[in-house]
Amino acid sequence: MKQKIRTIAGNVLFYAALAFVLFCAVFLLVRGRGGQPTYLFGHSFLWVETASMQPTIEEKSYIMVKKAGEPAPVPGDVIVFTCKDSTSPVYGSLITHRIVEVTENGYRTKGDNPMSAVDPWTVAREDVVAVYEKNVPVLTFIGRVFATKTGFFLLLGAFIAICGLVYIPSMIKSAREETEKEMAAEKEREIARRVAAEVERLEREERGKHNAPGNEQDRKN
């Protein structure tokens, strides 16, 4: 019973670790990518590279956003938009900034960082792709760990170690049991060989008795 419980616990631990690593790998692949967010039930996770929104959003953080729609964003909302200013070094990238003013041409935005100025562009309504909802500390931690080679290999090493803790003892036990079975089978074969040798010896003795001279004389009488 205890062995069964340990086996179940080991399998649960292994698959939980596997799910965690796969989950981390997915976020590693999407981290910092441009283009349109991928939504699930109208929500998505985005990686914020810069410190322009500190202290609201720290540099290199994951945030949860909801797809832009109705009602329209208003001043004070933090929006995610595609920069269409071709003179900007971030042209074509997703930007996360706060609306400070609504004009006839669109939204004026600014980062929350005290050092930030109002953005030189005006964001058209159709360029808004999402609205910020909240920070995601767990994903932020994962993203920052995976952002470094050291962190990636540490997590990979931890996964391998968990696999070892789960499966190596089972492999050793299986090998031991197989060895014990082979030894038991060899012992049985040795016993059978000895029994057969003893039977053969007894048969030879019996035949020897029948073929002895005294037995021949008895047969003549």
Side-chain angles (χ1 to χ4, degrees), residues 118-148:
V118 176
D119 297 325
W121 53 68
T122 299
V123 180
R125 173 73 185 274
E126 59 268 20
D127 294 334
V128 179
V129 298
V131 178
Y132 164 83
E133 285 199 324
K134 63 180 180 178
N135 297 329
V136 190
V138 174
L139 297 187
T140 296
F141 171 76
I142 295 171
R144 290 176 180 175
V145 169
F146 269 98
T148 64

Side-chain angles (χ1 to χ4, degrees), residues 16-155:
L18 178 61
F20 175 74
V21 170
L22 292 176
F23 180 73
C24 293
V26 169
F27 275 94
L28 176 64
L29 292 174
V30 302
R31 184 184 66 83
R33 298 297 179 90
Q36 297 295 313
T38 301
Y39 295 100
L40 181 63
F41 302 113
H43 290 78
S44 183
F45 297 103
L46 295 178
W47 178 257
V48 178
E49 285 277 3
T50 69
S52 65
M53 282 298 293
Q54 285 185 245
T56 305
I57 304 171
E58 294 185 357
E59 180 182 6
K60 298 188 184 303
S61 296
Y62 269 112
I63 60 173
M64 177 184 284
V65 298
K66 64 179 179 180
K67 190 173 184 178
E70 297 297 339
V74 297
D77 287 345
V78 176
I79 59 173
V80 180
F81 58 91
T82 304
C83 179
K84 294 297 181 66
D85 183 355
S86 59
T87 65
S88 172
V90 293
Y91 171 70
S93 300
L94 292 179
I95 307 297
T96 304
H97 277 179
R98 190 179 299 276
I99 297 173
V100 295
E101 183 184 0
V102 179
T103 69
E104 292 182 356
N105 297 323
Y107 301 110
R108 299 302 307 279
T109 56
K110 176 184 177 298
D112 284 0
N113 193 312
M115 301 297 292
S116 298
V118 176
D119 297 325
W121 53 68
T122 299
V123 180
R125 173 73 185 274
E126 59 268 20
D127 294 334
V128 179
V129 298
V131 178
Y132 164 83
E133 285 199 324
K134 63 180 180 178
N135 297 329
V136 190
V138 174
L139 297 187
T140 296
F141 171 76
I142 295 171
R144 290 176 180 175
V145 169
F146 269 98
T148 64
K149 289 183 179 180
T150 301
F152 175 79
F153 284 112
L154 282 175
L155 283 177

Side-chain angles (χ1 to χ4, degrees), residues 169-201:
S170 297
M171 293 171 63
I172 293 174
K173 182 181 178 182
S174 297
R176 185 185 298 117
E177 290 177 349
E178 188 65 27
T179 301
E180 290 175 352
K181 288 180 181 179
E182 183 62 28
M183 291 177 64
E186 181 61 30
K187 186 176 181 180
E188 289 179 359
R189 287 194 293 269
E190 178 64 18
I191 292 173
R193 185 186 66 79
R194 292 187 179 185
V195 169
E198 181 65 19
V199 169
E200 184 178 356
R201 185 186 66 80

